[in-house]
Amino acid sequence: MSDNTFVYVTYIRTTPEKLWTALTDPEFNRQFFLCSYQESDWKVGSSWKLIFPDGRVADSGEILEIDPPKRLVIKWRNEWMPEVKEDGYTRCTFTIEQDGELMKLAVTHEADGPHSLIPNVAKGWPLVLASLKSLLETGKGFERPPSKV
């Protein structure tokens, strides 16, 4: 991993369809994304937003690629930290591969060069993805919103 790329891989006991739905459905998002949710119509070129529980836009961007239930690529920019927003867009790729009865979920968040969002996502993605795994395997994600929001 370089200073401009964060990669996280986890294995989840679920189906590709359930994992895809969890990643793209706002009601599922609220259950694992620490009370936040995504908003998009999930088509190439469509706008994309991550919304805080209080309605503020946390992050925004565009759907670059979508191949349900295998791959999703989002052009991603932070909206709530001015110094990070100034850095511009990053790219977040979700890939889902079946491995027996498990789903391998890889999240790769990358920037063209050094970017101040990458250290932040390196702290956030492990918690969010652990919550997603918990939700799909036990029926309950983590409830607390992120700190310092």
Side-chain angles (χ1 to χ4, degrees):
M1 181 170 65
S2 69
D3 289 343
N4 60 347
T5 303
F6 174 79
V7 178
Y8 191 91
V9 177
T10 189
Y11 290 82
I12 303 172
R13 190 176 313 277
T14 190
T15 66
E17 295 77 18
K18 285 181 184 175
L19 179 51
W20 185 265
T21 299
L23 289 172
T24 58
D25 179 85
E27 292 311 311
F28 265 96
N29 290 170
R30 283 181 175 95
Q31 295 176 62
F32 78 86
F33 223 124
L34 309 174
C35 303
S36 297
Y37 64 95
Q38 298 176 93
E39 209 173 73
S40 181
D41 67 5
W42 306 109
K43 297 176 186 166
V44 172
S46 294
S47 67
W48 167 89
K49 293 178 185 172
L50 180 65
I51 311 293
F52 282 134
D54 65 7
R56 290 179 297 141
V57 175
D59 301 294
S60 69
E62 175 185 339
I63 304 300
L64 298 177
E65 296 177 38
I66 189 161
D67 182 14
K70 298 176 186 173
R71 183 173 167 85
L72 173 64
V73 182
I74 301 171
K75 181 178 173 182
W76 186 304
R77 181 180 68 196
N78 177 273
E79 297 292 340
W80 62 280
M81 294 182 286
E83 68 283 2
V84 177
K85 184 176 180 177
E86 287 176 16
D87 284 346
Y89 288 94
T90 59
R91 177 182 173 108
C92 187
T93 303
F94 300 82
T95 56
I96 299 170
E97 298 175 28
Q98 189 147 3
D99 186 355
E101 64 182 34
L102 301 174
M103 293 301 112
K104 176 184 175 184
L105 172 63
V107 177
T108 304
H109 209 130
E110 57 195 328
D112 289 335
H115 198 291
S116 55
L117 182 61
I118 300 304
N120 287 293
V121 300
K123 295 174 193 167
W125 276 126
L127 182 60
V128 168
L129 297 172
S131 182
L132 170 62
K133 179 178 174 63
S134 178
L135 173 64
L136 290 171
E137 291 183 348
T138 71
K140 189 162 173 68
F142 305 158
E143 294 178 4
R144 76 169 182 82
S147 25
K148 300 181 186 177
V149 176

